[in-house]
Amino acid sequence: MSESVLVVDHDPFTRRLITTTLEDVGQFELYEASDRAEAVEMAEATQPRLVFLDVDMPGLDGIAACQELRRTTGGDDATIVMLAGERRDGLERRAEAAGADIFLTKPFSPLRLLRILAGLNAQRV
């Protein structure tokens, strides 16, 4: 049985890095969104197990999008990995307060993504 993963980032290169990495390691149904509205709609439709969510998106930022995802069906039980281009004062704490489970700074390696997956799989056993 495959699990849904939602990748939300305005940068198509980042989305592609994540989806390409995940395509090769598991049976995931991969979904992409480029903004908050698409992310919420996609989360409600796909019930993702894992969401990669960019902090810096046009319009509503990723912190607000994380809060909104936590309030919607489909995002409430997902593991949310917040992606940020840099560590800014208080950003990681704000992400955690919004409901993020993991904070990841760009650029990151595909190996780091695989370690996150391994940790999530270990928690489920």
Side-chain angles (χ1 to χ4, degrees):
M1 180 176 164
S2 62
E3 295 181 298
S4 295
V5 175
L6 176 58
V7 181
V8 185
D9 198 307
H10 68 282
D11 178 21
F13 176 78
T14 301
R15 289 195 315 266
R16 191 68 192 143
L17 172 66
I18 296 169
T19 58
T20 299
T21 300
L22 299 182
E23 284 173 343
D24 294 335
V25 296
Q27 296 181 353
F28 298 109
E29 291 181 41
L30 300 170
Y31 299 93
E32 297 181 40
S34 61
D35 62 29
R36 177 210 49 86
E38 288 179 357
V40 170
E41 182 180 324
M42 193 69 67
E44 289 175 341
T46 66
Q47 307 287 305
R49 166 189 172 204
L50 179 61
V51 177
F52 290 93
L53 179 60
D54 186 24
V55 169
D56 298 314
M57 291 188 295
L60 188 64
D61 72 14
I63 299 294
C66 184
Q67 292 170 325
E68 190 169 349
L69 281 172
R70 285 295 184 210
R71 290 190 299 263
T72 63
T73 302
D76 50 350
D77 291 330
T79 297
I80 297 180
V81 179
M82 294 295 295
L83 308 172
E86 61 185 65
R87 289 194 185 270
R88 296 185 295 263
D89 288 341
L91 182 59
E92 195 167 348
R93 284 188 307 277
R94 287 180 42 231
E96 185 179 310
D101 300 294
I102 300 169
F103 190 86
L104 187 59
T105 304
K106 299 175 193 176
F108 50 85
S109 72
L111 182 58
R112 179 71 175 116
L113 296 179
L114 297 176
R115 286 185 185 136
I116 290 170
L117 285 176
L120 293 176
N121 288 334
Q123 290 175 358
R124 291 188 174 231
V125 174

